[in-house]
Amino acid sequence: MKDPCIYIRKNILSLEPYSTARDEFKGGDISVWLDANESPYPNGVNRYPDPHQKQLKEAVSKLMAMPTESIFIGGAGSDEAIDLTYRIFCEPGKDNAIAITPSYGVYKVAAEINDIELREVLLNDDFSLPVERLLEAADSNTKLIWICSPNNPTGNAFPKEEILRLADRFNGMVIVDEAYVDFSDKGTLLHDITEHTNIIVLRTFSKAWGMAGLRAGMAFADPRVIDYYDRVKYPYNMSSLIQQELLKRIAEGTGNNITEIKGEAEKLSKALAENPNVRKVYPTDANFILIQVDDADKVYAYLISHGVIVRNRSRMPLCEGTLRITVGTPEENKRVIKLMADYKP
Ligand SMILES: *Cc1c(COP(=O)(O)O)cnc(C)c1O
Protein backbone atom coordinates (compact mmCIF):
# COMPACT_ATOMS: atom_id res chain seq x y z
CA MET A 1 0.00 0.00 0.00
CA LYS A 2 1.39 3.30 -1.16
CA ASP A 3 1.75 6.28 1.16
CA PRO A 4 -0.70 8.73 -0.45
CA CYS A 5 1.31 11.67 0.92
CA ILE A 6 3.73 11.28 -2.00
CA TYR A 7 1.16 13.18 -4.10
CA ILE A 8 0.91 16.15 -1.74
CA ARG A 9 2.45 19.52 -2.72
CA LYS A 10 5.82 20.18 -1.12
CA ASN A 11 4.82 23.46 0.55
CA ILE A 12 1.77 21.74 2.06
CA LEU A 13 3.83 18.80 3.32
CA SER A 14 5.95 21.21 5.32
CA LEU A 15 3.06 23.44 6.39
CA GLU A 16 2.99 24.40 10.04
CA PRO A 17 -0.75 24.69 10.72
CA TYR A 18 -2.35 27.52 12.70
CA SER A 19 -2.42 26.57 16.30
CA THR A 20 -4.50 27.96 19.16
CA ALA A 21 -3.57 28.26 22.84
CA ARG A 22 -6.21 25.61 23.43
CA ASP A 23 -4.20 23.25 21.19
CA GLU A 24 -0.91 24.08 22.83
CA PHE A 25 -2.17 23.62 26.35
CA LYS A 26 -3.79 20.26 27.03
CA GLY A 27 -5.12 19.08 30.34
CA GLY A 28 -5.34 21.12 33.54
CA ASP A 29 -8.45 22.67 34.92
CA ILE A 30 -9.17 25.93 33.10
CA SER A 31 -12.21 27.98 34.02
CA VAL A 32 -11.06 31.41 32.89
CA TRP A 33 -10.58 31.73 29.14
CA LEU A 34 -8.51 34.81 28.34
CA ASP A 35 -6.51 33.42 25.41
CA ALA A 36 -8.54 34.20 22.28
CA ASN A 37 -9.75 37.78 22.63
CA GLU A 38 -13.36 36.66 22.70
CA SER A 39 -16.05 38.57 24.51
CA PRO A 40 -16.40 37.20 28.04
CA TYR A 41 -20.17 37.79 28.09
CA PRO A 42 -22.18 34.64 27.34
CA ASN A 43 -24.69 35.02 24.51
CA GLY A 44 -24.57 31.53 23.00
CA VAL A 45 -21.92 32.31 20.41
CA ASN A 46 -19.31 34.43 22.19
CA ARG A 47 -16.76 31.57 22.18
CA TYR A 48 -14.91 30.20 19.14
CA PRO A 49 -16.12 26.77 17.99
CA ASP A 50 -13.94 23.69 18.38
CA PRO A 51 -11.63 23.87 15.33
CA HIS A 52 -11.12 20.10 15.52
CA GLN A 53 -14.88 19.39 15.67
CA LYS A 54 -14.15 16.59 18.11
CA GLN A 55 -17.73 15.91 19.22
CA LEU A 56 -19.05 16.16 15.70
CA LYS A 57 -16.39 13.84 14.32
CA GLU A 58 -17.31 11.30 16.98
CA ALA A 59 -20.97 11.50 15.98
CA VAL A 60 -20.11 11.19 12.27
CA SER A 61 -17.78 8.31 13.11
CA LYS A 62 -20.66 6.39 14.69
CA LEU A 63 -23.08 7.37 11.95
CA MET A 64 -20.82 6.27 9.10
CA ALA A 65 -18.95 3.48 10.90
CA MET A 66 -15.61 5.12 10.09
CA PRO A 67 -12.75 6.03 12.44
CA THR A 68 -12.56 9.72 13.43
CA GLU A 69 -9.01 9.95 11.98
CA SER A 70 -10.42 9.24 8.52
CA ILE A 71 -13.00 12.05 8.62
CA PHE A 72 -12.81 15.63 7.41
CA ILE A 73 -15.86 17.86 7.92
CA GLY A 74 -16.33 20.96 5.79
CA GLY A 75 -18.44 23.94 6.76
CA ALA A 76 -19.12 24.95 3.16
CA GLY A 77 -20.48 21.57 2.12
CA SER A 78 -18.46 19.07 0.14
CA ASP A 79 -17.63 21.98 -2.16
CA GLU A 80 -15.12 22.98 0.51
CA ALA A 81 -13.48 19.56 0.28
CA ILE A 82 -13.30 19.88 -3.52
CA ASP A 83 -11.42 23.18 -3.27
CA LEU A 84 -9.15 21.87 -0.50
CA THR A 85 -8.28 18.83 -2.60
CA TYR A 86 -6.84 21.06 -5.33
CA ARG A 87 -4.98 23.17 -2.80
CA ILE A 88 -3.47 20.13 -1.08
CA PHE A 89 -2.38 18.17 -4.14
CA CYS A 90 -2.01 20.48 -7.13
CA GLU A 91 0.72 22.99 -7.84
CA PRO A 92 -0.97 26.00 -9.51
CA GLY A 93 0.10 26.56 -13.10
CA LYS A 94 1.87 23.20 -13.23
CA ASP A 95 -0.21 20.22 -12.12
CA ASN A 96 -3.41 19.06 -13.74
CA ALA A 97 -6.50 17.02 -12.86
CA ILE A 98 -8.89 14.84 -14.83
CA ALA A 99 -12.67 14.69 -14.56
CA ILE A 100 -15.36 12.80 -16.38
CA THR A 101 -17.79 14.90 -18.41
CA PRO A 102 -20.69 15.52 -18.20
CA SER A 103 -20.42 15.79 -14.44
CA TYR A 104 -20.68 18.17 -11.49
CA GLY A 105 -19.63 21.72 -12.40
CA VAL A 106 -17.70 22.57 -9.25
CA TYR A 107 -14.68 20.38 -10.19
CA LYS A 108 -14.08 22.73 -13.12
CA VAL A 109 -14.76 26.04 -11.34
CA ALA A 110 -12.56 25.08 -8.40
CA ALA A 111 -9.79 24.02 -10.83
CA GLU A 112 -9.94 27.40 -12.58
CA ILE A 113 -9.88 29.31 -9.29
CA ASN A 114 -6.76 27.38 -8.30
CA ASP A 115 -5.15 27.76 -11.75
CA ILE A 116 -5.15 24.00 -12.34
CA GLU A 117 -5.72 22.58 -15.81
CA LEU A 118 -8.75 20.28 -15.81
CA ARG A 119 -8.78 17.62 -18.51
CA GLU A 120 -12.33 16.55 -19.20
CA VAL A 121 -12.83 13.03 -20.51
CA LEU A 122 -16.12 12.24 -22.19
CA LEU A 123 -18.11 9.37 -20.71
CA ASN A 124 -18.90 6.51 -23.07
CA ASP A 125 -22.11 7.01 -25.09
CA ASP A 126 -24.03 4.82 -22.63
CA PHE A 127 -22.68 6.99 -19.75
CA SER A 128 -20.36 4.20 -18.60
CA LEU A 129 -16.89 4.92 -17.24
CA PRO A 130 -14.14 5.35 -19.88
CA VAL A 131 -11.41 3.80 -17.72
CA GLU A 132 -8.79 3.48 -20.47
CA ARG A 133 -9.31 7.01 -21.79
CA LEU A 134 -9.12 8.45 -18.27
CA LEU A 135 -5.75 6.77 -17.75
CA GLU A 136 -4.53 7.83 -21.21
CA ALA A 137 -5.35 11.47 -20.38
CA ALA A 138 -2.96 11.38 -17.41
CA ASP A 139 0.69 12.47 -17.50
CA SER A 140 3.34 12.88 -14.82
CA ASN A 141 1.72 16.13 -13.60
CA THR A 142 -1.74 14.63 -13.16
CA LYS A 143 -2.56 14.50 -9.47
CA LEU A 144 -6.30 13.92 -9.35
CA ILE A 145 -9.10 12.06 -11.10
CA TRP A 146 -12.65 13.12 -10.20
CA ILE A 147 -15.33 10.44 -10.39
CA CYS A 148 -18.86 11.37 -9.41
CA SER A 149 -20.84 8.22 -8.64
CA PRO A 150 -23.83 8.24 -8.88
CA ASN A 151 -23.00 10.84 -11.49
CA ASN A 152 -24.68 14.21 -11.70
CA PRO A 153 -26.42 14.84 -14.14
CA THR A 154 -26.53 11.39 -15.80
CA GLY A 155 -27.88 9.66 -12.67
CA ASN A 156 -25.96 6.39 -13.03
CA ALA A 157 -23.54 4.91 -10.51
CA PHE A 158 -20.39 3.24 -11.83
CA PRO A 159 -19.51 -0.32 -10.76
CA LYS A 160 -17.29 -0.23 -7.68
CA GLU A 161 -14.81 -2.67 -9.19
CA GLU A 162 -14.16 -0.34 -12.13
CA ILE A 163 -13.35 2.58 -9.84
CA LEU A 164 -11.11 0.40 -7.69
CA ARG A 165 -9.22 -0.88 -10.73
CA LEU A 166 -8.83 2.68 -12.00
CA ALA A 167 -7.43 3.76 -8.63
CA ASP A 168 -5.01 0.83 -8.55
CA ARG A 169 -3.62 1.75 -11.95
CA PHE A 170 -3.39 5.53 -11.38
CA ASN A 171 -0.41 7.22 -9.75
CA GLY A 172 -2.37 9.97 -8.03
CA MET A 173 -5.55 10.44 -6.03
CA VAL A 174 -8.99 9.30 -7.18
CA ILE A 175 -11.78 11.32 -5.61
CA VAL A 176 -15.13 9.59 -5.60
CA ASP A 177 -17.94 12.05 -5.04
CA GLU A 178 -20.75 10.04 -3.45
CA ALA A 179 -23.20 12.92 -2.88
CA TYR A 180 -26.07 10.68 -4.07
CA VAL A 181 -24.87 7.26 -2.93
CA ASP A 182 -27.58 6.95 -0.25
CA PHE A 183 -30.13 6.58 -3.06
CA SER A 184 -28.13 3.90 -4.88
CA ASP A 185 -28.05 0.13 -4.53
CA LYS A 186 -24.58 -0.06 -6.09
CA GLY A 187 -22.71 0.55 -2.83
CA THR A 188 -20.15 2.93 -1.38
CA LEU A 189 -16.35 2.93 -1.59
CA LEU A 190 -16.11 4.18 1.98
CA HIS A 191 -14.84 0.86 3.25
CA ASP A 192 -12.29 0.48 0.47
CA ILE A 193 -10.15 3.47 1.46
CA THR A 194 -8.09 1.42 3.92
CA GLU A 195 -6.88 -0.91 1.21
CA HIS A 196 -6.85 1.63 -1.61
CA THR A 197 -5.03 4.51 0.02
CA ASN A 198 -5.23 6.81 -3.01
CA ILE A 199 -9.05 7.01 -2.85
CA ILE A 200 -10.87 9.93 -1.23
CA VAL A 201 -14.62 9.61 -0.78
CA LEU A 202 -16.79 12.74 -0.60
CA ARG A 203 -20.15 12.71 1.14
CA THR A 204 -22.61 15.45 1.99
CA PHE A 205 -25.45 16.21 4.38
CA SER A 206 -27.10 18.22 1.58
CA LYS A 207 -29.04 15.56 -0.30
CA ALA A 208 -30.33 12.41 1.40
CA TRP A 209 -29.91 13.98 4.85
CA GLY A 210 -32.01 16.97 3.90
CA MET A 211 -29.68 19.65 5.27
CA ALA A 212 -28.50 21.58 2.23
CA GLY A 213 -29.04 24.82 4.13
CA LEU A 214 -26.57 23.87 6.86
CA ARG A 215 -23.60 23.53 4.46
CA ALA A 216 -21.98 20.42 5.85
CA GLY A 217 -19.90 18.03 3.78
CA MET A 218 -17.47 15.24 4.52
CA ALA A 219 -14.34 13.72 3.07
CA PHE A 220 -13.12 10.27 4.04
CA ALA A 221 -9.58 9.11 3.35
CA ASP A 222 -6.43 7.59 4.77
CA PRO A 223 -5.71 9.36 8.11
CA ARG A 224 -2.41 10.68 6.68
CA VAL A 225 -4.38 12.50 3.98
CA ILE A 226 -7.12 13.74 6.33
CA ASP A 227 -4.41 15.27 8.51
CA TYR A 228 -3.58 17.63 5.63
CA TYR A 229 -7.23 18.59 5.05
CA ASP A 230 -7.37 19.61 8.69
CA ARG A 231 -4.13 21.58 8.38
CA VAL A 232 -5.15 23.45 5.23
CA LYS A 233 -8.77 24.27 6.14
CA TYR A 234 -9.63 27.55 7.83
CA PRO A 235 -9.20 26.85 11.55
CA TYR A 236 -12.84 27.68 12.32
CA ASN A 237 -14.45 26.39 9.14
CA MET A 238 -17.70 25.37 10.81
CA SER A 239 -19.63 27.61 13.15
CA SER A 240 -20.63 26.42 16.60
CA LEU A 241 -24.32 26.82 15.69
CA ILE A 242 -23.97 24.46 12.73
CA GLN A 243 -21.95 21.97 14.77
CA GLN A 244 -24.66 21.95 17.45
CA GLU A 245 -27.47 21.70 14.92
CA LEU A 246 -25.79 18.82 13.11
CA LEU A 247 -25.13 16.98 16.37
CA LYS A 248 -28.76 17.39 17.34
CA ARG A 249 -30.08 16.19 14.00
CA ILE A 250 -27.68 13.25 13.79
CA ALA A 251 -28.79 12.18 17.28
CA GLU A 252 -32.46 12.49 16.26
CA GLY A 253 -31.83 10.59 13.03
CA THR A 254 -34.30 12.83 11.19
CA GLY A 255 -34.39 14.29 7.72
CA ASN A 256 -33.84 11.04 5.95
CA ASN A 257 -36.65 10.10 3.52
CA ILE A 258 -34.67 7.82 1.24
CA THR A 259 -37.27 5.08 0.86
CA GLU A 260 -40.01 7.53 -0.01
CA ILE A 261 -37.81 9.43 -2.48
CA LYS A 262 -36.72 6.21 -4.18
CA GLY A 263 -40.33 5.12 -4.49
CA GLU A 264 -41.27 8.49 -5.95
CA ALA A 265 -38.33 8.36 -8.37
CA GLU A 266 -39.65 5.08 -9.66
CA LYS A 267 -43.20 6.40 -10.08
CA LEU A 268 -41.98 9.56 -11.78
CA SER A 269 -39.72 7.61 -14.15
CA LYS A 270 -42.51 5.24 -15.07
CA ALA A 271 -45.07 7.97 -15.70
CA LEU A 272 -42.65 10.06 -17.79
CA ALA A 273 -41.55 7.00 -19.79
CA GLU A 274 -45.18 6.50 -20.84
CA ASN A 275 -45.50 10.15 -21.90
CA PRO A 276 -45.27 10.70 -25.69
CA ASN A 277 -43.66 14.13 -25.05
CA VAL A 278 -40.69 12.40 -23.42
CA ARG A 279 -38.27 10.71 -25.76
CA LYS A 280 -36.22 8.98 -23.12
CA VAL A 281 -36.03 8.52 -19.36
CA TYR A 282 -32.56 7.54 -18.17
CA PRO A 283 -32.30 5.04 -15.31
CA THR A 284 -31.31 6.67 -12.01
CA ASP A 285 -29.33 5.72 -8.91
CA ALA A 286 -29.97 9.18 -7.42
CA ASN A 287 -32.79 11.52 -6.32
CA PHE A 288 -33.15 13.07 -9.76
CA ILE A 289 -34.16 11.89 -13.18
CA LEU A 290 -32.62 12.84 -16.49
CA ILE A 291 -35.10 12.92 -19.34
CA GLN A 292 -34.68 13.66 -23.02
CA VAL A 293 -37.26 15.65 -24.95
CA ASP A 294 -37.45 17.03 -28.50
CA ASP A 295 -36.99 20.69 -27.56
CA ALA A 296 -35.49 21.03 -24.09
CA ASP A 297 -35.44 24.85 -24.10
CA LYS A 298 -39.15 24.97 -24.93
CA VAL A 299 -40.14 22.39 -22.32
CA TYR A 300 -37.96 24.15 -19.77
CA ALA A 301 -39.65 27.51 -20.45
CA TYR A 302 -43.08 25.84 -20.42
CA LEU A 303 -42.46 24.33 -16.99
CA ILE A 304 -41.20 27.66 -15.66
CA SER A 305 -44.30 29.43 -16.98
CA HIS A 306 -46.27 26.99 -14.81
CA GLY A 307 -44.15 27.66 -11.73
CA VAL A 308 -41.90 24.59 -11.92
CA ILE A 309 -38.16 24.90 -12.31
CA VAL A 310 -35.97 21.98 -13.38
CA ARG A 311 -32.36 21.97 -14.58
CA ASN A 312 -31.77 22.37 -18.29
CA ARG A 313 -28.76 20.17 -19.04
CA SER A 314 -29.19 20.19 -22.82
CA ARG A 315 -25.93 22.05 -23.42
CA MET A 316 -23.79 19.50 -21.61
CA PRO A 317 -21.85 16.94 -23.65
CA LEU A 318 -23.83 13.75 -24.44
CA CYS A 319 -26.91 15.42 -22.93
CA GLU A 320 -28.59 16.97 -25.95
CA GLY A 321 -32.27 17.62 -25.27
CA THR A 322 -32.08 16.73 -21.60
CA LEU A 323 -33.66 18.12 -18.46
CA ARG A 324 -32.74 17.04 -14.96
CA ILE A 325 -35.69 16.77 -12.63
CA THR A 326 -35.20 16.50 -8.87
CA VAL A 327 -37.65 14.12 -7.22
CA GLY A 328 -40.03 16.21 -5.13
CA THR A 329 -42.93 15.42 -2.82
CA PRO A 330 -45.66 13.14 -4.21
CA GLU A 331 -47.81 16.23 -4.96
CA GLU A 332 -44.94 18.01 -6.72
CA ASN A 333 -44.15 14.96 -8.82
CA LYS A 334 -47.81 14.59 -9.80
CA ARG A 335 -47.74 18.21 -10.91
CA VAL A 336 -44.74 17.57 -13.16
CA ILE A 337 -46.37 14.44 -14.59
CA LYS A 338 -49.58 16.35 -15.30
CA LEU A 339 -47.75 19.33 -16.83
CA MET A 340 -45.73 17.05 -19.09
CA ALA A 341 -48.90 15.21 -20.15
CA ASP A 342 -50.62 18.52 -20.99
CA TYR A 343 -47.63 19.86 -22.93
CA LYS A 344 -48.32 20.67 -26.58
CA PRO A 345 -45.13 20.78 -28.66
C1 LIG B 1 -25.06 18.44 -4.63
C2 LIG B 1 -23.73 17.88 -4.89
C3 LIG B 1 -22.72 17.99 -3.95
C4 LIG B 1 -23.00 18.58 -2.62
O1 LIG B 1 -22.40 19.75 -2.40
P1 LIG B 1 -22.50 20.43 -0.96
O2 LIG B 1 -21.50 21.50 -1.12
O3 LIG B 1 -22.13 19.40 0.05
O4 LIG B 1 -23.90 20.90 -0.81
C5 LIG B 1 -21.49 17.43 -4.21
N1 LIG B 1 -21.27 16.77 -5.36
C6 LIG B 1 -22.22 16.64 -6.27
C7 LIG B 1 -21.96 15.86 -7.48
C8 LIG B 1 -23.48 17.20 -6.08
O5 LIG B 1 -24.41 17.06 -7.02
Side-chain angles (χ1 to χ4, degrees):
M1 277 179 289
K2 252 187 215 166
D3 179 354
C5 294
I6 58 172
Y7 305 119
I8 289 176
R9 291 166 64 193
K10 279 203 186 64
N11 64 312
I12 300 295
L13 273 176
S14 57
L15 178 73
E16 200 57 63
Y18 179 74
S19 153
T20 67
R22 292 166 204 183
D23 291 326
E24 285 153 19
F25 185 81
K26 293 255 161 70
D29 199 6
I30 304 287
S31 57
V32 180
W33 300 92
L34 303 178
D35 59 311
N37 303 343
E38 299 152 334
S39 165
Y41 301 107
N43 63 5
V45 288
N46 62 311
R47 297 293 175 191
Y48 277 103
D50 172 16
H52 308 296
Q53 305 147 341
K54 188 165 177 290
Q55 250 192 310
L56 188 56
K57 280 194 177 181
E58 277 162 14
V60 170
S61 168
K62 278 211 197 88
L63 182 72
M64 310 294 278
M66 295 294 289
T68 52
E69 306 78 41
S70 301
I71 304 170
F72 164 79
I73 302 176
S78 40
D79 290 350
E80 179 179 350
I82 294 171
D83 180 59
L84 281 176
T85 305
Y86 283 115
R87 291 162 62 195
I88 291 166
F89 293 100
C90 300
E91 202 63 50
K94 176 173 164 244
D95 288 333
N96 66 74
I98 294 170
I100 53 172
T101 187
S103 194
Y104 187 44
V106 175
Y107 313 137
K108 172 94 180 170
V109 176
E112 283 175 0
I113 291 169
N114 287 288
D115 192 18
I116 306 303
E117 177 199 350
L118 186 69
R119 302 178 174 183
E120 295 182 302
V121 174
L122 205 57
L123 290 177
N124 295 322
D125 287 338
D126 59 358
F127 294 158
S128 62
L129 200 64
V131 174
E132 295 308 320
R133 283 188 288 114
L134 284 164
L135 289 166
E136 282 161 20
D139 62 23
S140 59
N141 289 325
T142 306
K143 294 293 172 63
L144 314 173
I145 298 181
W146 296 98
I147 304 289
C148 183
S149 179
N151 188 34
N152 175 6
T154 57
N156 58 310
F158 305 111
K160 268 178 66 171
E161 296 65 35
E162 280 182 23
I163 301 174
L164 291 174
R165 263 190 289 129
L166 172 75
D168 289 346
R169 292 171 62 191
F170 176 55
N171 288 315
M173 303 301 291
V174 173
I175 306 96
V176 187
D177 185 344
E178 295 191 336
Y180 300 99
V181 79
D182 307 272
F183 302 105
S184 164
D185 303 324
K186 309 245 165 80
T188 173
L189 273 85
L190 215 46
H191 307 289
D192 298 288
I193 62 174
T194 316
E195 212 171 308
H196 305 264
T197 52
N198 64 334
I199 292 181
I200 298 167
V201 174
L202 303 186
R203 289 289 194 90
T204 178
F205 283 106
S206 296
K207 307 286 159 60
W209 288 90
M211 304 184 215
L214 280 190
R215 308 308 302 128
M218 297 162 276
F220 297 86
D222 186 288
R224 291 168 290 187
V225 170
I226 291 300
D227 183 40
Y228 284 95
Y229 278 78
D230 282 335
R231 286 171 190 235
V232 175
K233 76 179 181 76
Y234 293 124
Y236 304 107
N237 66 327
M238 182 175 267
S239 84
S240 47
L241 295 181
I242 305 300
Q243 292 194 40
Q244 284 158 20
E245 187 66 27
L246 255 177
L247 275 169
K248 190 182 109 207
R249 286 174 185 252
I250 290 172
E252 285 169 356
T254 54
N256 199 321
N257 300 303
I258 292 170
T259 313
E260 170 156 328
I261 290 172
K262 284 173 77 164
E264 281 299 305
E266 214 166 291
K267 278 192 229 163
L268 186 59
S269 296
K270 196 162 166 284
L272 291 174
E274 287 164 1
N275 184 323
N277 289 318
V278 178
R279 212 193 288 171
K280 184 164 183 177
V281 177
Y282 291 90
T284 186
D285 296 304
N287 67 335
F288 57 82
I289 292 159
L290 192 72
I291 66 167
Q292 189 180 46
V293 294
D294 283 328
D295 189 339
D297 290 348
K298 248 176 88 182
V299 175
Y300 177 73
Y302 161 80
L303 290 173
I304 282 189
S305 73
H306 289 82
V308 174
I309 187 154
V310 298
R311 194 86 156 107
N312 187 347
R313 297 282 73 178
S314 58
R315 278 162 199 81
M316 295 195 95
L318 303 179
C319 290
E320 199 197 329
T322 62
L323 300 171
R324 191 193 70 194
I325 306 173
T326 306
V327 178
T329 63
E331 294 69 37
E332 290 168 339
N333 303 329
K334 275 190 202 123
R335 177 114 177 262
V336 168
I337 293 165
K338 172 90 170 53
L339 281 171
M340 285 307 295
D342 293 345
Y343 176 73
K344 301 273 175 294

